Amino acid sequence: MRIGIFGAGYVGLVTGTCFADLGHDVVVRDIIPARIAALRAGKVPIFEPGLTELIAANRDRLTFTTEIAEVVAGADVLFVCVGTPPTYSGDADLSAVWTVVDELPRDGRRVVLVMKSTVPVGTGAKVRSALDERGLTNVGYVSNPEFLAEGSALKDFRNPDRIVIGSYEAADAEVVERLHAGITAPIVRADVASAEMVKLASNAALAVRISFINEIANVCELTGADVLTVAEGVGLDHRLGKHFLRAGIGFGGSCFPKDISALKQLAGNVGYHFQLLAAVIEVNELQKRRVIGKLQKHLGTVRDRRIALLGLAFKPNTDDMREAPSLVLGARLLAEGAEVRAWDPVADASRLLHGAVFCDSVLEAVDGADAAVIVTEWEELRGMLTPELHARMRTPLIIDGRNLLDPAAARAAGFTYEGIGRA
Ligand SMILES: NC(=O)c1ccc[n+]([C@@H]2O[C@H](COP(=O)([O-])OP(=O)(O)OC[C@H]3O[C@@H](n4cnc5c(N)ncnc54)[C@H](O)[C@@H]3O)[C@@H](O)[C@H]2O)c1
């Protein structure tokens, strides 16, 4: 089939490239000319493992453009993969989605508009009405929410846990189902509103688990239990499972914070107070700040102390800095008068953390530091317990915000070590 993609970001590029890899002809459109120019020159503007190679391998079936006419020309299916960032009110900003809908030309051919962007429940109904009002009854509408995780996006596309397809017309759902031929996964056929809610509910459920285990970790710290052992024991219960039970300094990223906030606001807008999500958000905000208390416990004050932040991206294997806990932590430290040195192998936070010193290596970041905080669990940090690193620090204190290291090994290497929820 011929596929048009709106948005050359994490979702649009992965979706477009993977569909090209399945044999479809794909045109990806973005409104940022520099992004399209880079892609045409073979440079991928985001960091996602394997993506550059897969784009190169499918060049014959992939076209990049800024032109609306090129993306819709001859397309059987149009995927909306534009951003839906949070507004100040916490609602989702749908302006990019509406621009796509409003710009759709009237050419009378049957085409299916597929919403991959995460949108509030009810968006599909509004888009359907807007299309009908403009006489675009030839445009079908399908909600096909995206569940990929940055860092493992290609694998997630090829081996999804499920493919959710919400439609008004069965024929449109079938087109989208056929597109996925070659991918083995349960298909959940739904009405549009339910498909939209599956996405929001899934992210909310994952966030609930993270805030839950973080609170368990905090109580472990006060009672002498070890959250890793607790999580293992809890996760072996088949009713619960082991995923998303890793305690840490809270979740961030482009999806969880905004989608949970959007669901809470969506509920509020229709008169329901979503108390559980309010608590999940509050727990997460407090969790990001707990590291400051741990540093103060060991250093007395963080003022004039040199703190190394190791890892800045909201999680490993991505360069995405959206809502990264490192930003809250770094800003809090700088506000307290600490000297912040920061390292990340791929993420660039230089325009987001004013006043921090950005370093090219872990050793450079910890040079003369009073403490090193593991903020993102990059693999390269696993081997950091070296005599060289110990010697470079003024005080060999490690606060492990992701429970990446073995506490016994860290202490044996001469470090003062504190994780999250460890005995
Ligand atoms: N990133 C993820 O891990 C992830 C996972 C699942 C779902 N989602 C959802 O998918 C959507 C996209 O997320 P993302 O991370 O890819 O965003 P992104 O910000 O990386 O990319 C969005 C792109 O859309 C472009 N754009 C804006 N208006 C456009 C228009 N009118 N025509 C063409 N392009 C336009 C932007 O310039 C940008 O490059 C969001 O709704 C997000 O919540 C993201």
Side-chain angles (χ1 to χ4, degrees), residues 7 9-11 29-30 32 82 84 118 146 150 255 258 322:
Y10 291 87
V11 170
R29 185 228 184 184
D30 205 287
I32 302 174
V82 298
T84 49
T118 305
E146 180 54 61
E150 289 171 22
C255 289
K258 92 168 163 66
R322 288 177 282 188

Side-chain angles (χ1 to χ4, degrees), residues 27-333:
V27 181
V28 181
R29 185 228 184 184
D30 205 287
I31 50 169
I32 302 174
R35 192 158 264 239
I36 293 304
L39 284 160
R40 282 180 174 160
K43 294 193 195 91
V44 181
I46 57 167
F47 177 79
E48 180 61 42
L51 185 59
T52 305
E53 296 79 357
L54 201 64
I55 288 178
N58 288 285
R59 279 241 74 105
D60 295 351
R61 285 187 293 275
L62 264 176
T63 313
F64 301 102
T65 183
T66 52
E67 300 301 321
I68 184 105
E70 277 183 48
V71 71
V72 296
D76 303 297
V77 182
L78 293 169
F79 279 96
V80 183
C81 305
V82 298
T84 49
T87 58
Y88 283 116
S89 62
D91 295 276
D93 178 353
L94 297 180
S95 51
V97 168
W98 281 113
T99 304
V100 171
V101 174
D102 292 344
E103 285 183 353
L104 284 181
R106 202 188 297 240
D107 71 0
R109 282 180 52 256
R110 185 78 194 159
V111 62
V112 183
L113 185 68
V114 184
M115 187 61 65
K116 266 218 173 291
S117 296
T118 305
V119 294
V121 182
T123 304
K126 289 180 188 149
V127 172
R128 182 68 269 161
S129 300
L131 292 170
D132 291 344
E133 271 167 33
R134 283 182 56 208
L136 292 175
T137 46
N138 59 306
V139 179
Y141 184 90
V142 167
S143 165
N144 172 222
E146 180 54 61
F147 300 97
L148 66 77
E150 289 171 22
S152 57
L154 300 184
K155 184 176 124 287
D156 295 343
F157 182 94
R158 291 165 175 152
N159 305 292
D161 291 334
R162 72 300 210 190
I163 297 167
V164 177
I165 304 176
S167 71
Y168 294 105
E169 304 284 339
D172 295 334
E174 270 144 34
V175 169
V176 175
E177 193 168 333
R178 272 207 309 282
L179 261 187
H180 290 85
I183 296 176
T184 312
I187 306 263
V188 179
R189 287 278 196 104
D191 59 276
V192 170
S194 302
E196 292 167 338
M197 185 57 105
V198 170
K199 173 65 189 174
L200 297 177
S202 300
N203 275 0
L206 294 168
V208 167
R209 279 177 78 102
I210 298 173
S211 278
F212 166 75
I213 199 67
N214 282 341
E215 288 217 283
I216 293 289
N218 298 344
V219 180
C220 282
E221 283 178 9
L222 297 169
T223 52
D226 188 299
V227 75
L228 258 65
T229 311
V230 173
E232 185 190 356
V234 170
L236 283 168
D237 187 321
H238 74 278
R239 296 167 301 177
L240 297 169
K242 64 182 176 8
H243 297 291
F244 277 74
L245 287 178
R246 286 191 59 178
I249 55 171
F251 57 79
S254 61
C255 289
F256 283 180
K258 92 168 163 66
D259 293 350
I260 291 152
S261 164
L263 178 53
K264 179 172 164 277
Q265 297 307 334
L266 173 73
N269 294 343
V270 291
Y272 183 77
H273 175 55
F274 208 141
Q275 204 162 334
L276 181 61
L277 283 189
V280 166
I281 293 166
E282 191 183 354
V283 167
N284 196 52
E285 284 312 307
L286 293 173
Q287 197 69 12
K288 290 184 215 166
R289 290 151 195 263
R290 279 179 71 84
V291 169
I292 308 280
K294 288 177 187 285
L295 288 167
Q296 283 165 337
K297 186 176 94 187
H298 291 276
L299 301 174
T301 173
V302 293
R303 188 171 153 73
D304 294 330
R305 299 286 196 268
R306 185 179 282 193
I307 312 293
L309 298 185
L310 304 181
L312 298 170
F314 86 92
K315 68 174 191 174
N317 295 320
T318 183
D319 59 349
D320 200 340
M321 284 298 301
R322 288 177 282 188
E323 303 279 340
S326 64
L327 295 176
V328 173
L329 186 54
R332 283 287 300 125
L333 287 168

